[in-house]
Amino acid sequence: MAKDRLAGVLERYEAVIGLEIHTELTSLNSKMFCGCPVAFGGEPNTRVCPVCLGMPGALPVPNEAAVEATVLAGLALDCEIARFSQFHRKNYFYPDMPKNYQISQYDLPFCTNGRLDVEVGEGDAAYVTRIGITRIHLEEDTGKMIHVGGAEGRIAGADFSLVDFNRAGTPLIELVTEPDIRTPEEARRFAQTLRTIFLALGISDCSMEEGSMRVDANVSIRPRGASEFGTKAEVKNMNSFKALHDALAYEIVRQADLLDSGGRVVQETRHWDAGAKRTSALRSKEEAHDYRYFPEPDMVPFEFTDEWIESVRAKLPELPAARRDRYVSDLGLPKQDARLIADDVALSRFFEAAVQAAGASRAKPVANWVLGELSAHLNATGAAVDECGVSPAMLAELVVLVDDGVISGKQAKEVFAEMVVTGEMPGAIVERKGMRQVSDEAAIEAAVRKVLDENPAEVSSYRAGKTGLVGWFVGQVMREMRGQANPAVVNEVVRRLLEQ
Ligand code: ADP
Ligand code: ZN
Ligand code: MG
């Protein structure tokens, strides 16, 4: 129902959406300004030191790998990279931030003015929309508050609150988009596409559930045809792509209802409640001057040379969109299949190794197995593809056995189920179980003759013009041969003998 309301609202109003996405650089070994390890969870306050606890006199030293990862992200998104840049202090008080300021970037971010082309929708309704990237900057994450007792662990009404600084000082990149997004679905696709890129860059595990990728959405509406933007609200606390979509859909309808009833949208921060499926006001929005930004005096500015920037560019891996295009043009995969594989770095690596072993001409059946049985196996077991018990060589051998007509597709599924358990190569399983598919024409012809002799009525019907019966005959022969016959040969022999 909410979906229909959204469609109705979007006929009269246009939504304007800009995203602010925080991503922890979880793949780094150490925090942003100290040597403490970066990891999720752990015994509270065990991954801390005087620097990330904000002790007086402790001095920050920037993590070079984090600076490089930020610039890598900027280059992947066609940003301009600053030649001169620096950190600023963003001053505010909150118990999860021990220094009472966050080291962040203000008017001199590392990356500006980028873009990401996002594919939205499927089939005939598919289109590409270009979303501008305003900036990407580097900062440090805060610690975490844990509210105990009271209402649902919310701070209001909690009996007491605890603070854990393990996360404090984790390198965090903030990406801000231009207000170029027009629908909740475009917002979702932007975030998903960005995630596949960051995963390909290997800079973060991008977990929405664990909070290593956090998406805040700014949204306003305006009457269709209007040129001025409406007043925006910022929505926080969406921890899945679905939540991002649903929160925006809710917020667009809420704002339309407000305007339709003669009210006004207030600029504020709102909280998405996934249980109640609604947003509620959290606080009125801070202005930049509330933060009293000033240059971080304990660190010198950065001056990036062209050589250094080019040395980072040289580390750019193949990105998912380029990989997908390559699978379509070089390997002949359907676009949708190509994307499903290319979006996943580990799956792509597996797929390419299997294609290498099976031969490029067999890329399509390899893709079918990767997206079919293999993905089902990964989903069922929760295993990562590199440790799921099936190697690219095993899958390639299986595809070749089917392609060469040694076993049927049906037998191949049995072999797959078996090799997942035993870890044997498919060829060995086929030998051990005597599963070889019968392609020997003489044996098949004998079985076909038997079936024809036993079913004279059907033979007459066929010869009288009911040629659709051919499939039925093939089925009977396959059963006669316990599924071990080569279906292509059976088909051919059945037709030949029926036509005699
Ligand atoms: P603020 O000064 O409130 O932080 P910014 O101009 O820095 O606002 O923009 C913050 C985010 O909000 C950006 O992602 C931007 O694209 C988006 N944004 C700006 N104006 C609007 C608007 N009227 N409606 C929706 N999103 C907007
Ligand atoms: Zn530390
Ligand atoms: Mg701003």
Side-chain angles (χ1 to χ4, degrees):
M1 195 198 98
K3 209 167 182 177
D4 297 342
R5 289 238 35 215
L6 176 69
V9 163
L10 288 180
E11 280 169 20
R12 292 179 293 126
Y13 291 102
E14 181 177 55
V16 172
I17 300 165
L19 301 179
E20 293 174 90
I21 302 184
H22 287 88
T23 309
E24 289 179 348
L25 300 175
T26 52
S27 55
L28 298 188
N29 296 323
S30 57
K31 289 187 181 178
M32 189 58 234
F33 300 111
C34 63
C36 291
V38 170
F40 178 74
E43 185 68 22
N45 298 307
T46 52
R47 293 196 265 270
V48 291
C49 74
V51 174
C52 57
L53 285 176
M55 299 292 184
L59 289 174
V61 178
N63 183 334
E64 190 181 347
V67 175
E68 185 176 307
T70 309
V71 170
L72 193 69
L75 292 170
L77 296 166
D78 284 332
C79 288
E80 290 158 25
I81 308 302
R83 295 304 188 274
F84 181 87
S85 186
Q86 70 185 147
F87 284 112
H88 272 72
R89 286 189 185 178
K90 179 178 181 179
N91 297 278
Y92 65 96
F93 173 78
Y94 201 72
D96 65 9
M97 199 179 56
K99 295 197 295 288
N100 290 340
Y101 60 85
Q102 178 191 31
I103 303 180
S104 180
Q105 296 196 282
Y106 184 46
D107 55 351
L108 293 168
F110 290 145
C111 318
T112 53
N113 206 12
R115 68 199 55 83
L116 177 59
D117 288 340
V118 177
E119 291 180 30
V120 190
E122 256 147 55
D124 290 344
Y127 63 97
V128 175
T129 181
R130 173 164 289 189
I131 309 301
I133 311 288
T134 314
R135 57 187 282 155
I136 308 175
H137 74 240
L138 181 57
E139 58 189 30
E140 55 179 337
D141 209 348
T142 60
K144 263 185 194 166
M145 299 283 289
I146 298 142
H147 307 298
V148 182
E152 298 167 22
R154 297 277 293 275
I155 190 164
D159 293 330
F160 56 92
S161 295
L162 301 167
V163 65
D164 174 10
F165 291 121
N166 282 350
R167 195 180 72 175
T170 296
L172 188 67
I173 58 174
E174 177 177 333
L175 177 150
V176 181
T177 77
E178 289 293 297
D180 290 344
I181 299 167
R182 291 291 172 267
T183 66
E185 186 54 26
E186 288 182 10
R188 164 158 58 190
R189 288 293 305 143
F190 177 90
Q192 287 174 330
T193 307
L194 185 74
R195 180 173 186 272
T196 65
I197 292 173
F198 284 177
L199 288 173
L201 298 180
I203 60 178
S204 175
D205 60 13
C206 298
S207 164
M208 303 266 287
E209 302 78 45
E210 290 184 355
S212 57
M213 184 168 176
R214 312 194 283 270
V215 183
D216 300 334
N218 297 271
V219 53
S220 64
I221 60 171
R222 59 182 171 185
R224 291 241 160 233
S227 55
E228 301 240 313
F229 286 161
T231 303
K232 69 183 187 318
E234 182 177 6
V235 188
K236 289 186 178 287
N237 193 47
M238 289 93 57
N239 48 22
S240 67
F241 294 114
K242 182 179 184 318
L244 170 64
H245 174 278
D246 293 354
L248 282 168
Y250 175 89
E251 187 58 22
I252 290 165
V253 171
R254 185 190 73 87
Q255 292 184 10
D257 285 347
L258 260 178
L259 297 188
D260 287 346
S261 62
R264 284 175 34 186
V265 176
V266 187
Q267 177 151 346
E268 63 189 357
T269 302
R270 298 181 68 85
H271 184 269
W272 171 245
D273 182 336
K277 291 193 179 306
R278 54 189 228 92
T279 63
S280 54
L282 203 63
R283 55 179 144 84
S284 67
K285 167 93 184 155
E286 296 86 354
E287 301 287 342
H289 60 248
D290 293 333
Y291 293 123
R292 292 163 291 126
Y293 280 99
F294 62 87
E296 167 58 55
D298 289 335
M299 272 179 283
V300 296
F302 293 82
E303 288 189 56
F304 298 147
T305 61
D306 290 348
E307 294 74 48
W308 183 79
I309 293 169
E310 289 315 307
S311 75
V312 177
R313 194 191 303 280
K315 294 180 187 171
L316 273 179
E318 182 179 39
L319 297 179
R323 185 154 55 224
R324 184 211 49 205
D325 291 348
R326 182 164 61 80
Y327 290 171
V328 171
S329 63
D330 295 7
L331 299 175
L333 294 196
K335 197 167 172 184
Q336 185 64 15
D337 292 0
R339 183 167 90 195
L340 284 171
I341 298 174
D343 276 354
D344 186 315
V345 183
L347 209 58
S348 298
R349 210 176 296 132
F350 184 101
F351 168 73
E352 291 189 29
V355 169
Q356 179 83 32
S361 64
R362 298 192 179 101
K364 221 160 168 179
V366 170
N368 289 343
W369 279 95
V370 165
L371 294 173
E373 305 293 309
L374 183 71
S375 291
H377 169 60
L378 299 178
N379 285 339
T381 58
V385 66
D386 340 15
E387 41 202 44
C388 73
V390 178
S391 68
M394 287 158 83
L395 196 75
E397 188 168 301
L398 190 60
V399 167
V400 171
L401 285 169
V402 177
D403 202 35
D404 287 351
V406 177
I407 53 173
S408 66
K410 188 155 165 280
Q411 289 175 315
K413 291 195 176 166
E414 277 173 52
V415 173
F416 184 90
E418 183 85 9
M419 76 187 192
V420 163
V421 177
T422 65
E424 282 169 283
M425 288 301 280
I429 295 173
V430 168
E431 286 305 326
R432 178 163 61 74
K433 301 192 119 188
M435 283 177 100
R436 281 182 174 275
Q437 165 172 268
V438 180
S439 299
D440 169 24
E441 274 214 38
I444 289 174
E445 197 169 314
V448 174
R449 281 191 193 285
K450 180 157 181 268
V451 167
L452 298 196
D453 286 348
E454 283 169 2
N455 299 283
E458 282 77 9
V459 173
S460 308
S461 303
Y462 179 92
R463 290 182 175 147
K466 257 186 106 179
T467 52
L469 275 173
V470 69
W472 181 82
F473 281 109
V474 170
Q476 296 303 304
V477 175
M478 290 303 281
R479 207 164 77 185
E480 178 71 30
M481 299 190 71
R482 282 182 225 87
Q484 303 203 352
N486 181 331
V489 179
V490 172
N491 217 295
E492 186 195 300
V493 175
V494 164
R495 282 176 197 278
R496 177 159 53 76
L497 295 190
L498 280 171
E499 297 298 333
Q500 274 175 3

